[in-house]
Amino acid sequence: MAARPDTERPDTGRSGTADRRADDRLAVVTGASSGIGAATVRLFREHGWQVLAVARRQEKLEALAAGTGASFLVADVTDADAVAALAARVDGLGGADVLVNNAGGALGSASVEESDVEDWRAMFEVNVIGTKRVTAALLPQLRRRAATAGVADVVTVTSTAGHVAYENGGGYNAAKFAEHALVGALRLELNGEPLRVVEIAPGLVKTDEFALTRFRGDRAKADAVYADVPDPLVAEDVAEAIVHAVELPAHVNLDLVTVRPVAQSAQHKLARGPLTPRS
């Protein structure tokens, strides 16, 4: 999903003004050490963007930087001091064109009655409070770039779990519903500014760590999530949606993009086995 050419109007895309080179564009990506975050860093770099990859695990960030040429910062989005350091780093780089709020995750799979309150607390901290912290801290830096480039973006990776509840997912549902609401309120609050607010809501995505973390390392349970599902989404599919959204002309905003594999028609409707036309 590459940016479409626009030959009928002046350039109102990411370059904004004549003094902005393509390789001056900076994207900040949280949760960048693996999965969707790492795939997004790689794709932005392939498209010529400068990238600041942010996550907690230094060794994974170092490997990602070595393979892509991205810059990185070790930071936990649930820590106020770490987020302040991130804002200072971005300020030193002259601001950011795009913030991708990708840090998040699920813990546990149990009923509302039986689930662990500490799991809920941790999910709210990273998915909701972390997104709020980083967004609030970097909005001045995004405005700084928008003033010269004509546009800047806040992209948040939520989940279809934030739109439709399902059994034994109450804690993750609640956190992602709250993050979805945060994004909606932010879009209203920024109305009138050249700041686009984009929500990317993936369905079933097969990554190395998401389900394994949710089930606390139980490989059998993690693998069962994707068993016999024909072509579940992978991290690179979601990265394509993110980069496509921010490379559209500056007047176009993709408020909400829901991305699912063809095998998943809804949260509760998932095909397992080959997809075959009816005779």
Side-chain angles (χ1 to χ4, degrees):
M1 290 190 288
R4 64 177 176 84
D6 191 346
T7 58
E8 298 180 357
R9 61 170 64 87
D11 178 15
T12 57
R14 299 302 313 183
S15 58
T17 58
D19 61 345
R20 293 297 309 284
R21 301 192 314 273
D23 60 1
D24 281 339
R25 300 171 301 182
L26 175 66
V28 178
V29 181
T30 69
S33 59
S34 65
I36 293 168
T40 301
V41 170
R42 288 192 291 267
L43 189 59
F44 269 125
R45 290 295 295 143
E46 289 172 14
H47 283 222
W49 290 67
Q50 297 300 313
V51 181
L52 178 61
V54 182
R56 295 173 299 169
R57 295 177 291 182
Q58 181 168 340
E59 69 285 355
K60 287 188 173 290
L61 288 175
E62 288 174 345
L64 182 64
T68 64
S71 301
F72 70 88
L73 178 69
V74 177
D76 183 342
V77 301
T78 69
D79 182 272
D81 291 339
V83 173
L86 169 60
R89 174 75 173 273
V90 175
D91 184 60
L93 294 171
D97 296 273
V98 173
L99 164 63
V100 180
N101 286 310
N102 173 69
L107 291 171
S109 179
S111 67
V112 171
E113 179 181 12
E114 296 178 351
S115 54
D116 188 335
V117 167
E118 292 308 312
D119 285 348
W120 285 55
R121 194 185 312 279
M123 285 187 282
F124 267 79
E125 280 290 337
V126 65
N127 291 288
V128 185
I129 305 303
T131 296
K132 182 269 187 277
R133 282 190 194 278
V134 176
T135 301
L138 292 195
L139 272 173
Q141 318 305 337
L142 291 160
R143 288 187 174 105
R144 179 176 175 181
R145 282 293 180 101
T148 56
V151 64
D153 295 86
V154 179
V155 181
T156 302
V157 181
T158 61
S159 171
T160 55
H163 300 181
V164 179
Y166 55 87
E167 293 170 294
N168 299 320
Y172 187 55
N173 288 146
K176 285 299 186 181
F177 265 84
E179 190 177 34
H180 169 65
L182 181 160
V183 172
L186 179 69
R187 188 179 297 111
L188 296 172
E189 292 161 1
L190 297 182
N191 181 252
E193 298 189 60
L195 297 169
R196 300 187 295 193
V197 178
V198 178
E199 178 181 353
I200 306 291
L204 186 70
V205 185
K206 186 176 183 179
T207 64
D208 292 337
E209 296 186 359
F210 180 85
L212 198 62
T213 299
R214 183 171 204 167
F215 296 113
R216 291 183 167 80
D218 188 322
R219 175 60 69 180
K221 285 185 178 180
D223 289 346
V225 173
Y226 312 105
D228 298 323
V229 177
D231 298 318
L233 296 182
V234 293
E236 288 74 14
D237 297 323
V238 183
E240 286 275 1
I242 293 167
V243 175
H244 171 71
V246 303
E247 289 189 339
L248 287 169
H251 70 288
V252 179
N253 192 78
L254 299 185
D255 283 16
L256 170 62
V257 180
T258 302
V259 189
R260 302 184 201 266
V262 174
Q264 186 183 37
S265 300
Q267 293 295 87
H268 64 283
K269 190 72 170 178
L270 179 65
R272 297 186 187 268
L275 301 179
T276 56
R278 294 176 181 172
S279 57

